[in-house]
């Protein structure tokens, strides 16, 4: 039984398979994603209509209009430099689990293991942040009309239902998931355009200076989204909104083993998702700022600013249509996040990096999906949210804590292989650049910029009112150290290299025949 993609690009698919075999892995996942589908997966996770809407108060209740007009492009650039460096590594090593594999090959088994843990934590928390944000968006948009108010039981019920549905769709195969994420890509873009047009159409005027005017709405002036601080600090804290929003593009790398012509398509997927998300987000957010009847009144609304503004300026029919479209985009954003997290978990587990690795690395021969990894990631995200809500203190919303943890976990996991690449590039660990190539000096430049960005991101992510995020991160780091030194240092081998790759070659064909993909056996029968 041949995969459908063989009919479209047999030579490319054979080359992808050979590259995967050279790393010691069989083609277990179905390689059905086109270049556009790979882009749409990352574009859907970034989803400017999720982070850009749900985190909006971090900007409007910080430095005001300048937090969007000037802060958004700066935050996108800070996040985007990681994308360029990662795209270069992804072209050289197009394997599922991306960051983990890079961390091990460019460094050693410990750096691969620690990268995997931080990335997995980041992917689980980003799924939690997306779905918690979706919950609060749903309450803000429809809660009053349905008679619903925020509560712990309601939050957890919604998360279980929504995350469970996203996992179920992923369970049924990458084909269905990719069709929905392809649709999500078009829907996000068209909804951003519709929101832009509506904001400009109902704006009281076009005060363009508002986009470059600094204010200090920290404290009570901004609904206590941020504690009272200086104007420069308020601007810097507002950068967390674009930095958090422009994350998740590592999904393109995690889906590399399901993407055709991965050495070229994955880097393009990473960079085009950042580019189009940055542009689409900037246009609709600037239009939103221009629509506000008064900047001071908007800042006072705090986390309710988006709904307040649409209530003030738009007819019910228009805002309701926009709410429905945005909600669908956010739900599909979480769907793509489940895909990314499960592929990372699968890749780490097939090298024995997780408890119950044998089960987590198992791929359904009929659906070609890592079903145990899908459901484990979904359950972990719900449990993390429940734990963060329980730890919630000092009036800090659980959403901001989850977002801060997400940002730090994700970018630390990105930084480790990028830094390792600085020392490995051109040497035996990284001899060739890949089909997509910015040159060694180009890589070094973006790697150094990533280090500078990481320093700033960490400093912002643990500042008040996100001090709880620092405690959560310290707790996870301590737990990780106990696990490594107590167990994994002796047990974990890392990805196959050298003689282990050669040994695995004898079994790869047998594994692939089990999925109907391998060469025919010389005798009767075709499956083991």
């Amino acid at each position: 039984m041949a995969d459908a993609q063989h009919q479209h690009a047999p030579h490319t698919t054979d080359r992808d398979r050979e590259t995967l075999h050279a790393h010691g892995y069989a083609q277990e996942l179905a390689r059905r994603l086109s270049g556009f589908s790979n882009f749409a997966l990352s574009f859907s996770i970034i989803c400017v209509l999720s982070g850009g809407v749900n985190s909006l108060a971090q900007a409007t209740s910080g430095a005001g209009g300048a937090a969007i007009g000037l802060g958004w492009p700066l935050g996108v650039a800070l996040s985007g430099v990681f994308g360029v460096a990662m795209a270069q590594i992804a072209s050289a090593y197009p394997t599922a689990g991306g960051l983990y594999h890079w961390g091990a090959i460019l460094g050693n088994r410990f750096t691969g293991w620690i990268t995997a843990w931080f990335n997995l934590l980041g992917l689980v928390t980003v799924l939690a942040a997306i779905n918690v944000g979706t919950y609060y968006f749903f309450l803000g948009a429809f809660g009053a009309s349905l008679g619903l108010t925020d509560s712990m039981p309601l939050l957890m019920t919604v998360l279980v239902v929504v995350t469970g549905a996203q996992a179920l769709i992923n369970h049924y195969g990458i084909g269905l998931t990719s069709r929905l994420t392809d649709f999500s890509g078009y829907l996000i873009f068209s909804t951003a355009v519709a929101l832009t047009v509506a904001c400009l159409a109902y704006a009281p005027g076009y005060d363009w200076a508002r986009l470059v005017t600094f204010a200090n709405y920290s404290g009570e002036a901004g609904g206590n989204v941020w504690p009272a601080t200086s104007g420069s600090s308020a601007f810097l804290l507002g950068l967390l909104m674009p930095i958090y929003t422009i994350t998740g593009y590592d999904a393109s790398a995690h889906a590399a083993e399901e993407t055709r012509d991965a050495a070229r398509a994955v880097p393009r997927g990473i960079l085009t998702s950042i580019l189009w998300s940055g542009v689409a987000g900037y246009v609709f957010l600037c239009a939103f700022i221009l629509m506000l009847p008064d900047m001071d009144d908007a800042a006072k609304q705090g986390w309710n600013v988006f709904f307040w503004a649409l209530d003030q300026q738009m007819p019910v029919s228009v805002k309701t249509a926009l709410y429905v479209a945005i909600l669908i985009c956010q739900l599909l954003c979480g769907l793509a996040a489940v895909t990314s997290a499960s592929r990372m978990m699968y890749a780490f587990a097939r090298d024995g990096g997780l408890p119950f690795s044998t089960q987590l690395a198992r791929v359904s021969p009929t659906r070609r999906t890592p079903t145990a990894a899908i459901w484990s990631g979904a359950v972990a995200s719900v449990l993390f949210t429940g734990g963060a809500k329980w730890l919630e203190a000092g009036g800090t919303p659980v959403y901001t804590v989850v977002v801060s943890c997400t940002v730090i976990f994700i970018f630390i996991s990105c930084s480790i292989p990028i830094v390792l690449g600085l020392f490995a590039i051109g040497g035996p660990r990284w001899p060739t650049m890949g089909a997509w190539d910015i040159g060694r000096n180009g890589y070094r430049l973006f790697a150094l910029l990533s280090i500078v960005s990481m320093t700033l991101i960490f400093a912002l992510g643990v500042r008040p009112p996100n001090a709880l995020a620092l405690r959560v991160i310290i707790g996870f780091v301590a737990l990780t150290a106990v696990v490594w030194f107590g167990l994994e240092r002796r047990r974990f081998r890392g990805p196959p290299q050298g003689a282990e790759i050669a040994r695995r070659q004898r079994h790869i064909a047998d594994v692939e025949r089990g999925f109907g993909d391998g060469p025919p056996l010389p005798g009767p029968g075709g499956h083991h």
Side-chain angles (χ1 to χ4, degrees):
M1 179 182 67
D3 288 338
Q5 71 269 22
H6 286 268
Q7 302 170 9
H8 301 294
H11 299 299
T12 298
T13 304
D14 289 344
R15 185 168 60 246
D16 288 326
R17 188 189 297 268
E18 289 166 5
T19 299
L20 189 57
H21 289 177
H23 288 296
Y25 298 118
Q27 182 71 61
E28 295 182 290
L29 303 175
R31 202 174 284 274
R32 293 173 181 163
L33 296 183
S34 65
F36 177 81
S37 295
N38 184 279
F39 151 79
L41 184 65
S42 284
F43 188 68
S44 296
I45 295 181
I46 293 173
C47 189
V48 291
L49 296 171
S50 179
V53 170
N54 296 331
S55 301
L56 184 56
Q58 292 181 314
T60 55
S61 291
I68 297 298
L70 301 176
W72 176 268
L74 176 58
V76 171
L78 288 170
S79 181
V81 295
F82 290 87
V84 178
M86 289 164 60
Q88 181 62 82
I89 305 175
S91 184
Y93 301 103
T95 55
L99 299 170
Y100 149 66
H101 207 228
W102 309 340
I105 290 177
L106 300 178
N108 53 47
R109 64 191 181 95
F110 170 71
T111 55
W113 186 85
I114 198 72
T115 300
W117 271 106
F118 272 113
N119 191 228
L120 193 54
L121 289 170
L123 293 171
V124 168
T125 55
V126 79
L127 174 58
I130 289 166
N131 286 340
V132 169
T134 301
Y135 162 78
Y136 282 114
F137 180 85
F138 172 76
L139 276 189
F142 305 109
S145 60
L146 296 174
L148 299 174
T149 56
D150 182 26
S151 68
M152 180 69 165
L154 181 62
L155 169 63
M156 298 310 295
T157 299
V158 170
L159 285 187
V160 168
V161 171
V162 168
T163 312
Q166 293 161 344
L168 188 63
I169 293 171
N170 270 273
H171 178 99
Y172 277 100
I174 192 63
L176 174 60
T177 303
S178 67
R179 285 193 292 273
L180 287 172
T181 51
D182 286 357
F183 168 72
S184 175
Y186 291 114
L187 182 63
I188 291 169
F189 194 80
S190 59
T191 303
V193 171
L195 183 57
T196 301
V197 171
C199 287
L200 295 176
Y202 294 104
Y206 300 144
D207 182 8
W208 298 101
R210 184 182 286 181
L211 297 171
V212 293
T213 300
F214 286 87
N216 184 356
Y217 293 119
S218 62
E220 291 186 8
N224 292 310
V225 169
W226 299 119
T229 187
S230 66
S232 58
S233 293
F235 177 76
L236 290 173
L237 285 167
L239 294 177
L240 286 173
M241 191 267 279
I243 289 170
Y244 160 67
T245 303
I246 308 298
T247 57
Y249 44 81
D250 54 333
S252 288
H254 293 313
E257 291 179 26
E258 295 160 277
T259 302
R260 298 190 293 269
D261 195 17
R264 292 179 176 83
V266 169
R268 285 197 297 264
I270 292 172
L271 296 178
T272 53
S273 64
I274 295 171
L275 174 64
W276 285 110
S277 295
V279 171
Y282 191 59
V283 171
F284 98 72
L285 287 168
C286 285
F288 177 83
I289 295 297
L290 293 174
M291 181 192 69
L292 295 173
D294 182 81
M295 199 67 229
D296 292 345
D297 287 344
K300 291 176 185 175
Q301 307 307 314
W303 292 104
N304 195 49
V305 63
F306 184 78
F307 304 108
W308 172 83
L310 268 62
D311 286 343
Q312 292 285 311
Q313 301 299 112
M314 292 187 188
V316 173
S317 58
V318 174
K319 72 177 182 180
T320 300
L322 289 171
Y323 287 162
V324 170
I326 292 170
L327 182 62
I328 294 172
C329 290
Q330 293 185 6
L331 292 169
L332 293 174
C333 174
L335 173 73
V338 172
T339 306
S340 184
S342 63
R343 272 43 176 190
M344 173 62 212
M345 190 175 290
Y346 155 78
F348 194 27
R350 72 179 169 185
D351 290 334
L354 290 168
F356 308 105
S357 283
T358 302
Q359 290 75 26
L360 292 172
R362 190 168 293 148
V363 175
S364 166
T366 53
R367 307 194 189 284
R368 304 296 293 272
T369 56
T371 52
I374 288 168
W375 288 103
S376 297
V379 169
S381 75
V382 174
L383 293 177
F384 174 81
T385 304
K389 185 72 174 176
W390 180 70
L391 289 170
E392 192 174 79
T396 303
V398 65
Y399 179 72
T400 64
V401 175
V402 174
V403 164
S404 294
C405 292
T406 292
V407 166
I408 292 172
F409 285 143
I410 286 286
F411 283 109
I412 287 178
S413 70
C414 294
S415 297
I416 294 172
I418 289 173
V419 171
L420 292 171
L422 274 174
F423 301 97
I425 194 168
R429 291 185 178 276
W430 191 358
T432 57
M433 298 294 286
W436 186 88
D437 186 4
I438 60 172
R440 293 178 183 175
N441 288 333
Y443 173 81
R444 292 187 180 103
L445 171 62
F446 280 96
L448 292 172
L449 290 173
S450 298
I451 295 171
V452 174
S453 294
M454 182 66 243
T455 304
L456 177 60
I457 288 168
F458 184 84
L460 293 176
V462 299
R463 287 194 60 176
N466 300 321
L468 178 58
L470 179 59
R471 297 202 296 272
V472 172
I473 290 163
I474 291 173
F476 274 117
V477 169
L479 177 61
T480 299
V482 169
V483 173
W484 173 257
F485 289 105
L487 176 65
E488 298 296 341
R489 183 176 60 170
R490 294 184 297 273
R491 191 187 68 84
F492 179 64
R493 294 183 177 182
Q497 299 188 47
E500 176 63 16
I501 292 178
R503 188 189 69 79
R504 289 194 182 193
Q505 299 300 323
R506 297 193 296 270
H507 304 288
I508 285 175
D510 289 338
V511 172
E512 292 180 351
R513 272 190 290 269
F515 291 96
D517 284 352
L521 290 170
H527 300 275
H528 77 255

